Amino acid sequence: MTGDHGHHQVESGSRLNDSHKHKDKHKDKEHRHKDHKKDKEREKSKYTNSEHRDSSEKKHKDREKERAKHREDSSERHKEKKREEKLKSHSSNGKHKREKENGYVSYIKTEEDNGYYNPTKQEKTVKRERDDDESEYKSKKIKVEKEHKVKKRKQEEDYDDYEEEEDVKPKKKSKEKKEDAAGGKKKGKKEPEEKWKWWEEERYTDGSKWRFLEHKGPVFAPPYERLPENVRFYYDGKPMKLTEQAEEVATFFAKMLDHEYTTKDIFRKNFFKDWRKEMTFEEKSRITDLNKCNFVEMSEYFKVQSENRKQMTKEGKQKIKEENERLVGEYGYCLMDNHKERIGNFRIEPPGLFRGRGDHPKMGMLKRRIRPEDIIINCSKDSKHPKPPPGSRWKEVRHDNKVTWLASWTENIQGSIKYIMLNPSSRIKGEKDWQKYETARRLKKCVEKIRAQYRDDWKSKEMRIRQRAVALYFIDKLALRAGNEKEEGESADTVGCCSLRVEHISLHPEMDGQEFVVELDFLGKDSIRYYNKIPVEKRVFKNLQLFLENKQPEDDVFDRLNTSILNKHLQELMDGLTAKVFRTYNASITLQQQLSQLTTPEDNVPAKILSYNRANRAVAILCNHQRAPPKTFEKSMQNLQAKIDAKKDQLSAAKKELKSAKADAKAMHDEKSKKAVETKKKAVQRLSEQLMKLEVQATDREENKQIALGTSKLNYLDPRISVAWCKKWEIPIEKIYNKTQREKFAWAIDMADKDYEF
DNA sequence: CCCATCACTTAGAATAACGACG
DNA sequence: CGTCGTTATTCTAAGTGATGGG
């Protein structure tokens, strides 16, 4: 897998140095003694056990001890308080409800003329109360008032142009689609929603996610089609006809034959075991060795098939496309609170072989086919319930409006639940996303205080507090993930901050001319390697030394900490604060800073975009968002270089021509030659612009070799920062966000102006 | 408290669609 | 008008964190 990815110590390591630079002014007091004793105790209790692996047991014991020691400690009181609060909020929630029962729900239908939903007629008085940001709230109101006067929303701001353009096209299409699909009902009107601005409406405050939900249920994987007779499976060199069940599973393997997965031992073992479960007694007794199985004919067959698909005529492709659109039209949307919303994944995952990431102990296992009987449907009681396919039934139909999913099933590999949910452009996802950034902005207001506090806690005499403080420092400075504990053997061995082990960290009192360097090397989410060398403050360093003392490589660094403890602490520091908020906060604030640092007002558009990408890249590096270098990377780089060279030649040729034209003009003094000069000048200018564009592109691409920008853009960067930047520098928003992204961030595009500050 | 369960966000790879170019 | 390379979309795995029952 992509185990050995890049090294990026510089950027992420140095990012926060400014804010942390008051190096060791105080002397590092030695609390070591006390802690040391504790450690010894712990070590004893642990290692008397012949099996010293079980760190959770260790933690458990420690926690008990800790508890005994600090029985009087405040945590009890906190709990009490929380319980009270909970009760309070519960009852108030009850009252809260929504005063305006269905103000949300009914206006839409009546509000349209000639097929255009006109937002201006709506009751705008209902402003959503945002729990967290008043300024936000006010500015929104102003904005709305402005909109009152524009009926068809003339382009009062440039970004609206794009939006208009962009939206008109698909909309016309979807209008037709929607009609024959779920549309129809409720007054049978045409497409009411042109750009529904859910962000200008009130949110539910009672914890419910919707009032009305209707959908058609999921689309199931197509049934298995048997192979033609001439495509055979061979066992031990002899052709062997398999039963349908066994054959289907065999095709899963055959389809992956030239993937390196199939060479891995665990994969093969798991596959074979599960495959045999699908075999009849006869098959089972004959097929006993995977190495004697020959899937090559099957594999070839599928290759030819996909080749054929590619070679298909235009009409054939068109047909498939239309059929697909029909399916999307019928099943791809739902009706939620009177708005038609796109579903994110309405297709049930087809059966196949499980492909875990990294060193996954379950790779190759059979992911079984999902039937209607496995599906739980969620919709509102008063909706038209989805019909199960003929001859089948749903596992259950429920009406739970405290959740957002439309359907769910339990997957057989890990036993986890899979959901069908709405598209990111939907209200329900958008609101949550917006809220996430508001929480991060609230953190901005108190982050310095929190930093001061954890720095202070580095000196605490309690081990658990020190650990908590150092972990939090990592999470803040390095944007590490929280690191929940995972069940061993259930998935790849990856870690986050709280689950870091001794083997992942090495301490260098001095390295490359720097003091107190911490070297981190571990596999994080998706088994992506995190490798970083970070100079830290002395106190952190000393603490880490202490944490590592007398431990085995496989022991936890933070043995008195877990995510739940950490998050409980964070919750006390700020409402809604959890470890992941730091990632969002640091990502967004970094983008904002980098943008203001990197953008040169005089630059032209491509150069500004390069700056944007660089700012984006700084964030991706911080968050360790990597990708495998594209297979065609080298080649495409060469191509680009060739283009650049060609352009250079053209340019110098053009320059020469310009020169001689000038000479001509000087000699001739006539209009014609003067004009020629002008033309040549223009040509040179054009060429040099093109050259520079290419060069910028090359730089950008090179720097991006194994860095993935998409993830941070989609999940960590407050879109309003980008929108504001675009407005400020008059960069078309399309240069930054593609269509999907613009749909997801419609709320931000609509509400952020050029002065927005995260 | 502690663990399992549930809901939901975040993630990179695979695949499909698009568009520039010969 | 096909081919190739890039970009967008789809897919689903793998995280986080809340909750509730024992």
Side-chain angles (χ1 to χ4, degrees):
Chain A
M1 274 250 58
T2 44
D4 43 354
H5 271 304
H7 303 232
H8 53 265
Q9 37 288 50
V10 186
E11 284 95 329
S12 52
S14 60
R15 183 182 51 90
L16 284 173
N17 275 357
D18 296 332
S19 52
H20 292 245
K21 70 181 160 217
H22 359 273
K23 280 220 166 182
D24 322 299
K25 267 187 247 151
H26 338 270
K27 261 209 78 183
D28 190 29
K29 255 210 206 149
E30 290 286 328
H31 294 290
R32 212 127 160 269
H33 229 69
K34 249 182 219 162
D35 290 332
H36 202 84
K37 244 189 278 173
K38 255 192 236 168
D39 272 353
K40 279 274 161 60
E41 259 173 60
R42 176 170 51 76
E43 294 308 316
K44 236 189 288 168
S45 71
K46 194 175 100 200
Y47 291 121
T48 45
N49 220 321
S50 61
E51 204 66 23
H52 56 247
R53 267 241 42 130
D54 194 342
S55 58
S56 67
E57 187 180 299
K58 175 187 70 188
K59 278 197 181 179
H60 183 93
K61 280 184 186 159
D62 282 355
R63 262 180 250 128
E64 254 165 23
K65 240 182 272 174
E66 206 67 57
R67 232 178 296 140
K69 269 192 189 133
H70 307 284
R71 186 108 322 148
E72 334 274 38
D73 138 303
S74 57
S75 72
E76 293 294 312
R77 261 171 285 138
H78 278 301
K79 242 190 303 169
E80 207 82 315
K81 211 162 51 181
K82 240 188 227 156
R83 224 171 289 140
E84 269 172 34
E85 267 161 23
K86 207 169 173 185
L87 279 175
K88 238 190 286 173
S89 75
H90 245 280
S91 57
S92 73
N93 274 350
K95 287 181 238 161
H96 243 79
K97 284 271 168 157
R98 310 185 77 211
E99 313 81 328
K100 34 172 305 249
E101 274 323 278
N102 69 356
Y104 211 47
V105 183
S106 43
Y107 52 80
I108 284 292
K109 294 300 151 185
T110 57
E111 290 302 340
E112 61 194 340
D113 25 37
N114 54 44
Y116 277 89
Y117 161 52
N118 183 343
T120 61
K121 288 194 184 167
Q122 229 176 91
E123 276 295 272
K124 280 299 159 110
T125 47
V126 263
K127 287 280 104 232
R128 170 187 315 248
E129 338 134 12
R130 287 204 63 88
D131 32 344
D132 33 23
D133 197 329
E134 291 203 346
S135 61
E136 203 59 28
Y137 170 64
K138 277 176 200 151
S139 70
K140 237 182 316 173
K141 196 163 210 166
I142 290 162
K143 176 131 202 186
V144 168
E145 255 135 43
K146 205 162 58 182
E147 276 161 12
H148 268 291
K149 46 186 184 239
V150 270
K151 198 191 167 193
K152 227 198 123 189
R153 304 204 65 213
K154 281 267 98 140
Q155 42 275 75
E156 45 175 295
E157 277 161 85
D158 31 10
Y159 68 97
D160 278 346
D161 285 315
Y162 309 124
E163 208 170 295
E164 219 87 67
E165 254 174 49
E166 220 29 66
D167 281 0
V168 160
K169 225 188 310 165
K171 222 158 255 161
K172 278 188 183 143
K173 244 204 231 151
S174 67
K175 219 177 277 176
E176 291 153 14
K177 253 189 283 170
K178 282 175 186 172
E179 255 181 317
D180 56 29
K185 59 144 28 206
K186 293 257 155 145
K187 295 180 187 160
K189 284 282 178 101
K190 261 198 201 149
E191 170 55 15
E193 305 165 31
E194 299 295 324
K195 286 187 228 158
W196 169 40
K197 297 194 177 181
W198 52 257
W199 50 94
E200 289 177 353
E201 290 180 28
E202 200 178 67
R203 275 191 305 193
Y204 292 119
T205 52
D206 60 354
S208 67
K209 307 292 170 68
W210 45 263
R211 285 287 124 96
F212 181 81
L213 172 61
E214 179 170 280
H215 59 92
K216 292 268 195 154
V219 171
F220 288 90
Y224 178 65
E225 273 177 50
R226 293 221 63 164
L227 295 169
E229 290 296 325
N230 61 335
V231 180
R232 282 161 303 183
F233 163 74
Y234 296 85
Y235 187 73
D236 210 2
K238 294 181 214 52
M240 176 174 177
K241 172 96 180 157
L242 298 171
T243 56
E244 180 163 340
Q245 304 245 317
E247 184 186 283
E248 180 178 10
V249 179
T251 65
F252 298 152
F253 194 83
K255 281 177 183 165
M256 299 178 73
L257 216 52
D258 35 8
H259 199 292
E260 70 151 332
Y261 267 118
T262 55
T263 64
K264 292 190 180 171
D265 237 34
I266 307 173
F267 190 95
R268 295 173 70 85
K269 208 181 106 256
N270 286 334
F271 161 71
F272 197 55
K273 188 172 160 214
D274 279 4
W275 187 26
R276 282 173 58 83
K277 285 184 204 155
E278 301 298 310
M279 294 178 186
T280 59
F281 180 76
E282 287 75 29
E283 286 169 330
K284 222 184 297 190
S285 52
R286 187 160 163 210
I287 302 174
T288 54
D289 182 0
L290 182 55
N291 294 315
K292 291 180 178 165
C293 295
N294 178 343
F295 303 93
V296 172
E297 256 182 40
M298 293 161 69
S299 169
E300 291 301 323
Y301 171 71
F302 291 120
K303 273 183 220 162
V304 170
Q305 290 247 303
S306 80
E307 206 47 46
N308 288 346
R309 226 168 302 132
K310 270 187 241 158
Q311 300 300 311
M312 239 177 353
T313 59
K314 265 177 278 173
E315 305 87 72
K317 280 185 182 167
Q318 189 57 31
K319 231 183 192 152
I320 291 182
K321 204 171 165 187
E322 274 166 22
E323 170 59 19
N324 193 41
E325 273 174 11
R326 195 190 61 77
L327 211 64
V328 174
E330 175 156 13
Y331 294 96
Y333 296 84
C334 74
L335 199 54
M336 183 176 275
D337 291 351
N338 266 355
H339 293 276
K340 193 164 173 176
E341 300 254 41
R342 261 217 325 196
I343 299 172
N345 57 327
F346 58 91
R347 279 174 229 266
I348 300 275
E349 296 173 17
L353 303 184
F354 176 77
R355 311 148 84 113
R357 290 152 188 240
D359 221 343
H360 198 118
K362 299 196 171 180
M363 64 168 76
M365 282 174 64
L366 175 63
K367 221 172 86 163
R368 64 164 227 289
R369 179 178 290 271
I370 306 300
R371 308 150 305 152
E373 288 74 12
D374 301 314
I375 302 286
I376 301 174
I377 295 289
N378 193 31
C379 61
S380 51
K381 225 175 263 176
D382 58 343
S383 74
K384 220 163 82 197
H385 297 190
K387 284 196 291 291
S392 66
R393 43 181 306 156
W394 304 121
K395 179 179 182 184
E396 183 191 334
V397 177
R398 65 171 75 155
H399 313 290
D400 181 357
N401 77 345
K402 297 281 188 279
V403 298
T404 69
W405 51 269
L406 317 188
S408 73
W409 72 93
T410 301
E411 153 263 5
N412 67 306
I413 304 287
Q414 329 256 1
S416 66
I417 308 170
K418 301 262 185 158
Y419 302 93
I420 286 183
M421 291 185 186
L422 297 193
N423 186 277
S425 63
S426 61
R427 181 213 103 219
I428 215 156
K429 293 288 185 189
E431 274 181 353
K432 202 77 185 299
D433 206 36
W434 179 16
Q435 196 176 33
K436 172 181 78 188
Y437 293 112
E438 290 309 321
T439 307
R441 292 174 83 197
R442 279 193 290 122
L443 173 58
K444 184 189 178 191
K445 291 182 191 150
C446 61
V447 73
E448 285 309 329
K449 213 172 101 204
I450 291 172
R451 283 174 179 157
Q453 153 130 218
Y454 68 60
R455 296 168 56 82
D456 208 43
D457 286 347
W458 294 340
K459 298 178 277 187
S460 167
K461 58 181 189 300
E462 277 186 75
M463 187 61 145
R464 56 179 192 100
I465 298 212
R466 288 184 179 220
Q467 292 196 352
R468 198 178 68 192
V470 172
L472 186 49
Y473 169 74
F474 279 167
I475 284 171
D476 182 21
K477 184 183 172 84
L478 307 176
L480 300 189
R481 296 188 184 82
N484 281 314
E485 51 266 68
K486 315 167 62 179
E487 217 173 323
E488 208 174 332
E490 290 294 298
S491 61
D493 178 20
T494 62
V495 298
C497 186
C498 294
S499 49
L500 278 171
R501 298 192 299 262
V502 173
E503 59 196 311
H504 299 129
I505 184 167
S506 28
L507 302 177
H508 308 279
E510 218 213 287
M511 186 187 222
D512 309 329
Q514 287 177 303
E515 277 189 312
F516 310 124
V517 175
V518 176
E519 186 179 2
L520 288 178
D521 188 353
F522 61 89
L523 297 184
K525 182 177 179 180
D526 292 319
S527 291
I528 296 292
R529 184 182 180 199
Y530 183 93
Y531 181 78
N532 203 355
K533 286 182 259 181
I534 317 103
V536 300
E537 291 176 52
K538 184 174 178 188
R539 215 183 288 282
V540 172
F541 196 83
K542 293 287 173 195
N543 268 314
L544 284 167
Q545 284 179 325
L546 183 64
F547 303 159
L548 298 187
E549 235 166 51
N550 297 318
K551 282 192 194 165
Q552 301 294 308
E554 64 275 15
D555 291 341
D556 288 348
V557 175
F558 303 112
D559 53 300
R560 296 174 188 214
L561 183 70
N562 61 34
T563 54
S564 151
I565 295 172
L566 179 64
N567 281 333
K568 241 167 237 151
H569 172 63
L570 292 175
Q571 187 58 236
E572 279 160 19
L573 299 180
M574 184 193 106
D575 182 47
L577 187 60
T578 63
K580 82 195 261 286
V581 178
F582 281 89
R583 244 167 107 80
T584 312
Y585 162 72
N586 277 311
S588 287
I589 201 74
T590 301
L591 179 76
Q592 187 167 82
Q593 280 165 187
Q594 290 289 306
L595 278 180
S596 79
Q597 220 171 85
L598 261 32
T599 311
T600 315
E602 300 75 49
D603 273 353
N604 58 14
V605 172
K608 285 209 181 86
I609 290 170
L610 174 64
S611 302
Y612 180 89
N613 285 338
R614 283 187 163 152
N616 191 167
R617 195 144 45 231
V619 176
I621 288 166
L622 170 69
C623 296
N624 200 39
H625 290 141
Q626 302 189 18
R627 62 171 186 177
K631 285 186 186 67
T632 55
F633 185 84
E634 285 311 323
K635 202 161 78 180
S636 88
M637 221 47 214
Q638 275 169 14
N639 288 347
L640 197 53
Q641 194 52 50
K643 266 198 211 165
I644 289 174
D645 292 344
K647 198 60 79 182
K648 276 182 180 161
D649 290 348
Q650 280 179 41
L651 182 61
S652 59
K655 275 182 178 163
K656 254 182 219 154
E657 280 184 45
L658 173 62
K659 218 173 188 176
S660 69
K662 270 182 180 163
D664 282 357
K666 215 167 186 180
M668 313 272 282
H669 276 304
D670 65 344
E671 274 308 306
K672 201 175 166 190
S673 60
K674 264 188 199 162
K675 252 197 188 135
V677 171
E678 281 311 305
T679 336
K680 300 289 177 201
K681 235 183 209 164
K682 285 243 172 75
V684 167
Q685 206 181 357
R686 203 187 56 230
L687 283 170
S688 71
E689 236 166 60
Q690 286 172 344
L691 174 62
M692 124 97 175
K693 218 168 164 174
L694 284 173
E695 278 173 337
V696 160
Q697 204 186 344
T699 324
D700 209 15
R701 192 179 298 181
E702 184 64 47
E703 290 176 357
N704 237 15
K705 183 171 179 179
Q706 36 180 222
I707 297 172
L709 299 188
T711 305
S712 48
K713 201 187 240 185
L714 229 52
N715 300 301
Y716 288 104
L717 302 176
D718 182 343
R720 290 166 296 184
I721 299 170
S722 301
V723 171
W725 181 84
C726 282
K727 286 181 181 167
K728 181 165 179 192
W729 303 109
E730 299 183 320
I731 309 289
I733 194 83
E734 293 89 335
K735 302 276 184 190
I736 299 300
Y737 290 138
N738 67 30
K739 179 159 142 309
T740 321
Q741 293 166 161
R742 288 198 300 277
E743 278 166 17
K744 170 167 178 175
F745 297 134
W747 57 275
I749 293 172
D750 183 57
M751 74 176 143
D753 58 28
K754 70 179 186 6
D755 303 316
Y756 174 79
E757 201 188 328
F758 174 76

